[in-house]
Amino acid sequence: MINGTILYAIAIILTSISFIKDRNKTKDAVLKSWKMFCNILPDILSVMLFVGISLSLLTPTLISSIIGEKSGLIGIANATLIGSVALIPSFIVFPLGETLVQNGAGLPQVAALMSSLMSVGIVSLPMEQKLFGRSFAYTRNAAGILMSVIFAYIIWVVMV
């Protein structure tokens, strides 16, 4: 909370200094950042809604049984499969991972989930095929799955 307050204060001070130096550039920058915020807001709200509903339905015991520390390789496989459904940006995935760890998920399993959430997208595969071609889309997603498993293994060896 204190860190957030300090960052907001720094942002307000620097924006004020910028406004004093050049009003037009500061106005343009604030408008651009507002548009960017409005563009990502639906994604953030939908994921927050998804996480909120998921955490209200999934108890820590259930999370631990699916992707908990004792779930082992099956937990990593489960996390990779769950994370492969859709591509989600990192600014949403990292808080989700922290919340899962706090609710009993294991570090390698959360690493696999986070990595696959950011690199594999089965839902977006048809769109990716149209844009980049079939072989590229399949190869990229397969590489994402492989890297997620390798990343989870490294986390398992180093941190557990």
Side-chain angles (χ1 to χ4, degrees):
M1 184 70 180
I2 293 173
N3 290 336
T5 305
I6 291 170
L7 290 176
Y8 285 125
I10 290 170
I12 289 171
I13 290 169
L14 292 177
T15 304
S16 299
I17 291 170
S18 175
F19 187 76
I20 292 169
K21 272 188 112 175
D22 191 340
R23 291 181 176 193
N24 290 330
K25 281 185 179 179
T26 305
K27 224 170 162 182
D28 290 343
V30 170
L31 285 175
K32 280 184 181 179
S33 56
W34 177 254
K35 286 180 184 175
M36 289 174 62
F37 175 73
C38 289
N39 284 337
I40 64 169
L41 187 61
D43 293 335
I44 292 173
L45 289 177
S46 63
V47 171
M48 287 174 69
L49 181 68
F50 173 73
V51 170
I53 290 172
S54 299
L55 288 176
S56 66
L57 297 175
L58 300 174
T59 62
T61 308
L62 184 61
I63 291 172
S64 293
S65 68
I66 296 172
I67 57 171
E69 289 180 14
K70 295 181 181 174
S71 62
L73 288 175
I74 293 174
I76 291 173
N78 287 338
T80 304
L81 284 174
I82 294 168
S84 298
V85 173
L87 281 169
I88 296 179
S90 60
F91 63 90
I92 295 169
V93 170
F94 289 123
L96 172 66
E98 180 185 3
T99 304
L100 289 172
V101 168
Q102 289 173 349
N103 284 289
L107 286 178
Q109 292 79 9
V110 170
L113 178 73
M114 292 172 57
S115 178
S116 58
L117 277 172
M118 292 187 290
S119 63
V120 183
I122 302 299
V123 172
S124 60
L125 191 59
M127 181 185 71
E128 196 174 338
Q129 285 178 10
K130 285 182 185 174
L131 290 174
F132 302 115
R134 184 179 220 175
S135 65
F136 176 82
Y138 281 104
T139 303
R140 195 199 66 73
N141 281 286
I145 290 171
L146 180 65
M147 293 307 294
S148 297
V149 172
I150 291 171
F151 182 59
Y153 178 73
I154 291 170
I155 295 293
W156 195 356
V157 170
V158 173
M159 299 194 71
V160 177

mmCIF file of all heavy atoms in Angstrom, residues 133-153:
data_model
loop_
_atom_site.group_PDB
_atom_site.id
_atom_site.type_symbol
_atom_site.label_atom_id
_atom_site.label_comp_id
_atom_site.label_asym_id
_atom_site.label_seq_id
_atom_site.Cartn_x
_atom_site.Cartn_y
_atom_site.Cartn_z
ATOM 1 N N GLY A 133 -0.301 -18.776 -40.709
ATOM 2 C CA GLY A 133 -0.194 -20.078 -41.364
ATOM 3 C C GLY A 133 -0.305 -21.206 -40.353
ATOM 4 O O GLY A 133 -0.005 -21.042 -39.171
ATOM 5 N N ARG A 134 -0.770 -22.342 -40.879
ATOM 6 C CA ARG A 134 -1.048 -23.481 -40.009
ATOM 7 C C ARG A 134 0.199 -24.037 -39.328
ATOM 8 O O ARG A 134 0.216 -24.268 -38.116
ATOM 9 C CB ARG A 134 -1.722 -24.563 -40.845
ATOM 10 C CG ARG A 134 -2.138 -25.739 -40.056
ATOM 11 C CD ARG A 134 -2.807 -26.736 -40.922
ATOM 12 N NE ARG A 134 -3.938 -27.277 -40.170
ATOM 13 C CZ ARG A 134 -4.797 -28.106 -40.640
ATOM 14 N NH1 ARG A 134 -4.715 -28.488 -41.892
ATOM 15 N NH2 ARG A 134 -5.766 -28.544 -39.904
ATOM 16 N N SER A 135 1.262 -24.267 -40.117
ATOM 17 C CA SER A 135 2.447 -24.903 -39.537
ATOM 18 C C SER A 135 3.090 -24.000 -38.484
ATOM 19 O O SER A 135 3.545 -24.488 -37.445
ATOM 20 C CB SER A 135 3.443 -25.277 -40.627
ATOM 21 O OG SER A 135 3.937 -24.122 -41.257
ATOM 22 N N PHE A 136 3.126 -22.698 -38.753
ATOM 23 C CA PHE A 136 3.709 -21.796 -37.762
ATOM 24 C C PHE A 136 2.892 -21.806 -36.474
ATOM 25 O O PHE A 136 3.459 -21.863 -35.379
ATOM 26 C CB PHE A 136 3.787 -20.363 -38.312
ATOM 27 C CG PHE A 136 4.302 -19.374 -37.298
ATOM 28 C CD1 PHE A 136 5.659 -19.236 -37.084
ATOM 29 C CD2 PHE A 136 3.427 -18.608 -36.542
ATOM 30 C CE1 PHE A 136 6.137 -18.347 -36.141
ATOM 31 C CE2 PHE A 136 3.889 -17.720 -35.592
ATOM 32 C CZ PHE A 136 5.257 -17.583 -35.392
ATOM 33 N N ALA A 137 1.563 -21.757 -36.616
ATOM 34 C CA ALA A 137 0.707 -21.704 -35.427
ATOM 35 C C ALA A 137 0.865 -22.967 -34.581
ATOM 36 O O ALA A 137 1.009 -22.887 -33.354
ATOM 37 C CB ALA A 137 -0.751 -21.519 -35.840
ATOM 38 N N TYR A 138 0.857 -24.127 -35.219
ATOM 39 C CA TYR A 138 1.003 -25.363 -34.460
ATOM 40 C C TYR A 138 2.398 -25.482 -33.844
ATOM 41 O O TYR A 138 2.544 -25.903 -32.695
ATOM 42 C CB TYR A 138 0.716 -26.582 -35.346
ATOM 43 C CG TYR A 138 -0.763 -26.824 -35.530
ATOM 44 C CD1 TYR A 138 -1.409 -26.499 -36.706
ATOM 45 C CD2 TYR A 138 -1.519 -27.381 -34.502
ATOM 46 C CE1 TYR A 138 -2.762 -26.711 -36.875
ATOM 47 C CE2 TYR A 138 -2.876 -27.591 -34.653
ATOM 48 C CZ TYR A 138 -3.497 -27.259 -35.841
ATOM 49 O OH TYR A 138 -4.833 -27.463 -35.982
ATOM 50 N N THR A 139 3.410 -25.115 -34.614
ATOM 51 C CA THR A 139 4.780 -25.202 -34.106
ATOM 52 C C THR A 139 4.977 -24.253 -32.923
ATOM 53 O O THR A 139 5.569 -24.610 -31.904
ATOM 54 C CB THR A 139 5.790 -24.854 -35.218
ATOM 55 O OG1 THR A 139 5.573 -25.722 -36.320
ATOM 56 C CG2 THR A 139 7.217 -24.984 -34.726
ATOM 57 N N ARG A 140 4.454 -23.023 -33.037
ATOM 58 C CA ARG A 140 4.611 -22.060 -31.950
ATOM 59 C C ARG A 140 3.907 -22.540 -30.676
ATOM 60 O O ARG A 140 4.459 -22.474 -29.584
ATOM 61 C CB ARG A 140 4.069 -20.691 -32.369
ATOM 62 C CG ARG A 140 4.520 -19.573 -31.432
ATOM 63 C CD ARG A 140 3.651 -18.358 -31.565
ATOM 64 N NE ARG A 140 2.295 -18.587 -31.124
ATOM 65 C CZ ARG A 140 1.912 -18.708 -29.841
ATOM 66 N NH1 ARG A 140 2.816 -18.646 -28.879
ATOM 67 N NH2 ARG A 140 0.652 -18.908 -29.520
ATOM 68 N N ASN A 141 2.704 -23.062 -30.822
ATOM 69 C CA ASN A 141 1.977 -23.537 -29.649
ATOM 70 C C ASN A 141 2.623 -24.788 -29.042
ATOM 71 O O ASN A 141 2.681 -24.926 -27.820
ATOM 72 C CB ASN A 141 0.507 -23.798 -30.001
ATOM 73 C CG ASN A 141 -0.294 -22.518 -30.037
ATOM 74 O OD1 ASN A 141 -0.595 -21.947 -28.997
ATOM 75 N ND2 ASN A 141 -0.610 -22.025 -31.223
ATOM 76 N N ALA A 142 3.110 -25.694 -29.891
ATOM 77 C CA ALA A 142 3.808 -26.878 -29.372
ATOM 78 C C ALA A 142 5.080 -26.476 -28.639
ATOM 79 O O ALA A 142 5.396 -27.019 -27.569
ATOM 80 C CB ALA A 142 4.128 -27.843 -30.511
ATOM 81 N N ALA A 143 5.796 -25.505 -29.200
ATOM 82 C CA ALA A 143 7.002 -25.016 -28.526
ATOM 83 C C ALA A 143 6.639 -24.357 -27.196
ATOM 84 O O ALA A 143 7.369 -24.499 -26.210
ATOM 85 C CB ALA A 143 7.748 -24.029 -29.426
ATOM 86 N N GLY A 144 5.513 -23.654 -27.164
ATOM 87 C CA GLY A 144 5.056 -23.040 -25.915
ATOM 88 C C GLY A 144 4.762 -24.078 -24.847
ATOM 89 O O GLY A 144 5.118 -23.898 -23.679
ATOM 90 N N ILE A 145 4.111 -25.164 -25.248
ATOM 91 C CA ILE A 145 3.817 -26.242 -24.284
ATOM 92 C C ILE A 145 5.117 -26.863 -23.783
ATOM 93 O O ILE A 145 5.293 -27.075 -22.577
ATOM 94 C CB ILE A 145 2.903 -27.303 -24.934
ATOM 95 C CG1 ILE A 145 1.507 -26.710 -25.150
ATOM 96 C CG2 ILE A 145 2.836 -28.565 -24.074
ATOM 97 C CD1 ILE A 145 0.585 -27.584 -25.966
ATOM 98 N N LEU A 146 6.027 -27.153 -24.698
ATOM 99 C CA LEU A 146 7.312 -27.753 -24.321
ATOM 100 C C LEU A 146 8.090 -26.833 -23.379
ATOM 101 O O LEU A 146 8.621 -27.289 -22.353
ATOM 102 C CB LEU A 146 8.135 -28.059 -25.568
ATOM 103 C CG LEU A 146 9.502 -28.693 -25.314
ATOM 104 C CD1 LEU A 146 9.346 -30.082 -24.703
ATOM 105 C CD2 LEU A 146 10.307 -28.753 -26.603
ATOM 106 N N MET A 147 8.139 -25.551 -23.693
ATOM 107 C CA MET A 147 8.865 -24.604 -22.841
ATOM 108 C C MET A 147 8.193 -24.474 -21.467
ATOM 109 O O MET A 147 8.888 -24.321 -20.459
ATOM 110 C CB MET A 147 8.963 -23.239 -23.520
ATOM 111 C CG MET A 147 9.832 -23.239 -24.758
ATOM 112 S SD MET A 147 11.496 -23.907 -24.508
ATOM 113 C CE MET A 147 12.184 -22.706 -23.418
ATOM 114 N N SER A 148 6.881 -24.571 -21.423
ATOM 115 C CA SER A 148 6.178 -24.505 -20.132
ATOM 116 C C SER A 148 6.562 -25.682 -19.247
ATOM 117 O O SER A 148 6.792 -25.523 -18.048
ATOM 118 C CB SER A 148 4.666 -24.500 -20.353
ATOM 119 O OG SER A 148 4.279 -23.369 -21.064
ATOM 120 N N VAL A 149 6.634 -26.863 -19.837
ATOM 121 C CA VAL A 149 7.000 -28.053 -19.073
ATOM 122 C C VAL A 149 8.456 -27.965 -18.607
ATOM 123 O O VAL A 149 8.774 -28.278 -17.452
ATOM 124 C CB VAL A 149 6.743 -29.331 -19.906
ATOM 125 C CG1 VAL A 149 7.298 -30.554 -19.208
ATOM 126 C CG2 VAL A 149 5.244 -29.490 -20.163
ATOM 127 N N ILE A 150 9.334 -27.509 -19.501
ATOM 128 C CA ILE A 150 10.743 -27.358 -19.136
ATOM 129 C C ILE A 150 10.895 -26.313 -18.020
ATOM 130 O O ILE A 150 11.626 -26.512 -17.048
ATOM 131 C CB ILE A 150 11.600 -26.976 -20.368
ATOM 132 C CG1 ILE A 150 11.678 -28.161 -21.334
ATOM 133 C CG2 ILE A 150 12.998 -26.516 -19.963
ATOM 134 C CD1 ILE A 150 12.309 -27.833 -22.672
ATOM 135 N N PHE A 151 10.170 -25.220 -18.151
ATOM 136 C CA PHE A 151 10.212 -24.159 -17.141
ATOM 137 C C PHE A 151 9.736 -24.693 -15.784
ATOM 138 O O PHE A 151 10.349 -24.438 -14.748
ATOM 139 C CB PHE A 151 9.354 -22.989 -17.605
ATOM 140 C CG PHE A 151 9.349 -21.818 -16.681
ATOM 141 C CD1 PHE A 151 10.515 -21.156 -16.352
ATOM 142 C CD2 PHE A 151 8.163 -21.362 -16.141
ATOM 143 C CE1 PHE A 151 10.511 -20.075 -15.502
ATOM 144 C CE2 PHE A 151 8.141 -20.280 -15.291
ATOM 145 C CZ PHE A 151 9.321 -19.635 -14.962
ATOM 146 N N ALA A 152 8.650 -25.475 -15.798
ATOM 147 C CA ALA A 152 8.141 -26.050 -14.550
ATOM 148 C C ALA A 152 9.164 -27.017 -13.945
ATOM 149 O O ALA A 152 9.357 -27.036 -12.727
ATOM 150 C CB ALA A 152 6.820 -26.769 -14.821
ATOM 151 N N TYR A 153 9.821 -27.796 -14.787
ATOM 152 C CA TYR A 153 10.833 -28.734 -14.294
ATOM 153 C C TYR A 153 11.992 -27.979 -13.634
ATOM 154 O O TYR A 153 12.479 -28.376 -12.571
ATOM 155 C CB TYR A 153 11.343 -29.616 -15.445
ATOM 156 C CG TYR A 153 12.413 -30.575 -15.002
ATOM 157 C CD1 TYR A 153 12.099 -31.693 -14.228
ATOM 158 C CD2 TYR A 153 13.736 -30.357 -15.322
ATOM 159 C CE1 TYR A 153 13.087 -32.564 -13.799
ATOM 160 C CE2 TYR A 153 14.729 -31.215 -14.909
ATOM 161 C CZ TYR A 153 14.405 -32.320 -14.142
ATOM 162 O OH TYR A 153 15.386 -33.175 -13.721
#
